[in-house]
Amino acid sequence: GYLFLNWDLETDAFKGNTISIGSINSTNNFLFSPVADKSGTTLPIAGSSIQTINCIDNDSEILAGPALPGPGSISSLANDASGAIKVMEFYLWDIGGCDGLNTIVTNVRIQQYSSNNTADWTDHIGGIVLLEQGGPAVTTGTPIITDSYIDIPIPSGNLVIPNGTFPVYELSVYLNASDQLVDNSVLSFMIDGDNHGFTTDPAGSGFTSPFSNGDIVSSDFTVDVQASELAFIQQPQNSDSNVPMASDVSVEARDIHG
């Protein structure tokens, strides 16, 4: 048989609290709406048991921000946080369900939008800046930059979405100080709605998967190599007057990184 219990877990009486049900041997068939974690602990009391069910929301969302930055260019001279160019903005939304808890973000993953991207990320991207719109930069760990994604580890407590709120966050990038930059190559970014890679501290709410509005895709940003000198790539050769050189002289424009 089935026992149906209807509780409004969003009332103040339940938010952030623990519900104990006596004489229940398993929580395997408990269903929550909205989605929540459930855990059981058995304590023998006069031959019976108590199952403790903790409601933790796993329904936090990420949505496209109010404005789409770009398209634009990123200068080869933008090589530190002060010169970073904003490429994405997005809402981090704690829906504010049954748990009454904040969403404590511990990892942000930005993936390559491969349909448009032509630049090699490990050669081109020097670093990132993540901040709440209008606020200071989030203190993060060292970003892990690969050719297909960037993982931004965040110490627990440094990026907290208060329960029931949806602040806007901005992501900016700057380039490597490198001679590997390719002029006019394209950087394009996304948050994958199906496989987002965002993680949270289990002490708070978690993210749903997949996101209800799908992928969040940036505009295209073109790498702009700023020339500061001319360099011979084919040196002049000795030749007599009015006699063509054996090979043409060639020069190219280079930036300060060569």
Side-chain angles (χ1 to χ4, degrees), residues 71-75 175 182-187 220-224:
S73 62
I74 305 178
S75 169
L175 301 181
V182 178
D183 193 35
N184 292 321
S185 58
V186 173
L187 292 165
D220 293 343
F221 291 84
T222 303
V223 175
D224 182 16

Side-chain angles (χ1 to χ4, degrees), residues 35-122:
V35 179
D37 284 340
K38 50 189 182 293
S39 61
T41 57
T42 300
L43 301 175
I45 299 178
S48 66
S49 66
I50 292 179
Q51 293 294 325
T52 300
I53 304 169
N54 302 300
C55 175
I56 301 294
D57 292 318
N58 282 324
D59 56 1
S60 294
E61 288 264 10
I62 302 178
L63 307 172
L68 180 66
S73 62
I74 305 178
S75 169
S76 62
L77 307 182
N79 305 129
D80 57 31
S82 66
I85 301 298
K86 182 170 69 172
V87 297
M88 298 187 77
E89 62 177 46
F90 44 87
Y91 292 104
L92 295 180
W93 183 19
D94 182 300
I95 291 179
C98 68
D99 62 12
L101 301 175
N102 303 328
T103 300
I104 307 165
V105 183
T106 54
N107 190 75
V108 168
R109 174 169 288 187
I110 304 298
Q111 301 190 48
Q112 186 182 104
Y113 187 53
S114 57
S115 297
N116 294 357
N117 192 95
T118 61
D120 183 296
W121 277 20
T122 53

Side-chain angles (χ1 to χ4, degrees), residues 8-17:
D8 183 359
L9 297 180
E10 301 210 15
T11 64
D12 290 338
F14 285 112
K15 284 186 176 180
N17 294 324

Side-chain angles (χ1 to χ4, degrees), residues 234-240 242-250:
Q234 175 62 54
Q235 294 290 339
Q237 297 182 2
N238 292 331
S239 177
D240 293 331
N242 297 320
V243 176
M245 290 183 180
S247 59
D248 294 334
V249 177
S250 299

Side-chain angles (χ1 to χ4, degrees), residues 144-163:
I144 301 168
I145 301 173
T146 75
D147 287 333
S148 58
Y149 66 87
I150 302 171
D151 267 347
I152 308 167
I154 302 170
S156 182
N158 286 5
L159 200 170
V160 177
I161 310 305
N163 185 61

